[in-house]
Structures are given as structure tokens and as C-alpha cells.
Amino acid sequence: MRCPIIYTPDGQVSAHVAGADGYFGYAGTFEWLGDRVVHRTLVGGEPGGLGRTCSAAPIWRAGRLTLRSLPDDNGQILGTVWQRMPLGPATEAER
């Protein structure tokens, strides 16, 4: 299964996650502010998610991008790990 995050050179971002618990996705803009990447949601599948801004500390290691959020009011940190995929159509094993 591919759950892509895509960054374009002109500042657009699109992220999608699908699994047994359902689907979550959004698209919008991104920018670098110091050592953090900031996503601003313009389109999303989550109610109330439009116009939302989230900031994450990116870690790039061994072909993997990890995005970790700042702690929320409860001290919870959310994180997602994305594996870099080769360009081109997905193979059966990647689907």
C-alpha cells in the first residue's frame, strides 16, 4: 500500500494515510520556518481540518522522513514516518 506525502517545488503539500482504521488525507501549502516544516491545510478529509496549521520537526534518515509534532496541551507528540519510494508505478508489493 502506498500512503504518499508529496512536496512540490512551488510550496504545495499533499499527504494521505490509509489503513485498517480508515483514511486521512489533506492538501495545502508548506514552508520552512527554521528547523520546522509548517503545513497549512486547504483541502482535507477531516471535519474542521480546513485552514489548520501544523508544525513538525522533520528528520530525514536512510530514505525515511519522520515528522514529529510539537507537544499538545496534554504533552502528546504525534509522529508519522514516510518511506521514500522510487519514481514510477507501484509494484504489486508496494500496493
Side-chain angles (χ1 to χ4, degrees):
M1 162 186 2
R2 280 190 170 186
C3 298
I5 188 167
I6 300 167
Y7 291 98
T8 67
D10 64 345
Q12 303 294 310
V13 63
S14 177
H16 306 271
V17 177
D21 295 336
Y23 166 83
F24 169 77
Y26 67 91
T29 62
F30 78 94
E31 69 175 317
W32 287 97
L33 294 176
D35 63 348
R36 304 194 71 72
V37 63
V38 177
H39 294 185
R40 291 182 178 83
T41 304
L42 300 174
V43 177
E46 182 179 307
L50 299 183
R52 183 173 161 206
T53 298
C54 53
S55 174
I59 300 168
W60 180 256
R61 189 176 301 135
R64 290 192 169 118
L65 171 65
T66 302
L67 297 177
R68 292 178 47 130
S69 70
L70 292 171
D72 65 14
D73 294 338
N74 299 319
Q76 182 178 17
I77 297 173
L78 301 176
T80 306
V81 178
W82 306 88
Q83 174 70 44
R84 185 176 185 126
M85 300 298 289
L87 295 176
T91 65
E92 282 298 317
E94 294 170 344
R95 291 188 182 129

